[in-house]
Amino acid sequence: MEINELCLEDGAIQYLGLNSESLVIEVKRWNQELLKITINSYVKFIEYDSIGREISEFLILENSEFLKKEKEELVKLDFDENVCNQLVHLKFVGLSELPLLDVIADKNEIHVIRMEI
């Protein structure tokens, strides 16, 4: 499944895992389906007490202010411009527009697995 095909608005964040190689986000949907999103190349990750919270909006942004600022910082650090052009901003928003997660990641390194519970 591709990240662009995801509909997370009827689920809740159940698990977040970080290690030196990847970021894993698990979303449990109300139909008892579990979506495991593995991001193998991420630049920035901000979590706002999101575990167990419902997702009201999931956005894949290519031109957000957050992404623009991050790209500017990366260019200053001599980050490869071709890699910068592959970055997207994944924005998870909860009820009452409460931010849940913000992730800047390489769009080619985001993988989704659908699992039945």
Side-chain angles (χ1 to χ4, degrees):
M1 172 180 259
E2 296 292 321
I3 190 76
N4 294 340
E5 300 170 2
L6 280 181
C7 178
L8 302 178
E9 285 79 6
D10 61 347
I13 297 172
Q14 293 295 300
Y15 172 82
L16 294 173
L18 289 167
N19 62 39
S20 62
E21 297 177 10
S22 65
L23 164 64
V24 176
I25 304 166
E26 290 184 2
V27 175
K28 183 178 178 185
R29 297 181 65 197
W30 300 117
N31 63 359
Q32 298 305 306
E33 180 179 64
L34 186 68
L35 297 173
K36 182 177 181 179
I37 304 164
T38 302
I39 303 170
N40 293 322
S41 179
Y42 65 96
V43 175
K44 189 164 234 174
F45 167 71
I46 301 174
E47 192 266 339
Y48 306 93
D49 190 28
S50 62
I51 303 294
R53 296 194 185 265
E54 293 180 35
I55 300 167
S56 67
E57 189 173 21
F58 171 68
L59 303 167
I60 302 169
L61 305 168
E62 295 187 0
N63 293 310
S64 71
E65 195 62 36
F66 182 59
L67 179 60
K68 180 182 173 185
K69 287 180 183 177
E70 192 61 33
K71 283 182 177 182
E72 288 171 359
E73 290 298 316
L74 293 172
V75 168
K76 288 179 188 176
L77 297 171
D78 291 328
F79 209 73
D80 185 338
E81 191 172 328
N82 292 326
V83 174
C84 282
N85 291 333
Q86 298 301 314
L87 297 176
V88 292
H89 175 194
L90 304 179
K91 186 173 185 74
F92 296 75
V93 181
L95 301 175
S96 300
E97 298 185 20
L98 179 72
L100 299 177
L101 295 173
D102 282 303
V103 182
I104 304 291
D106 182 333
K107 63 184 168 189
N108 299 312
E109 295 294 329
I110 303 169
H111 308 284
V112 181
I113 300 172
R114 180 180 289 161
M115 301 181 293
E116 297 294 325
I117 298 176

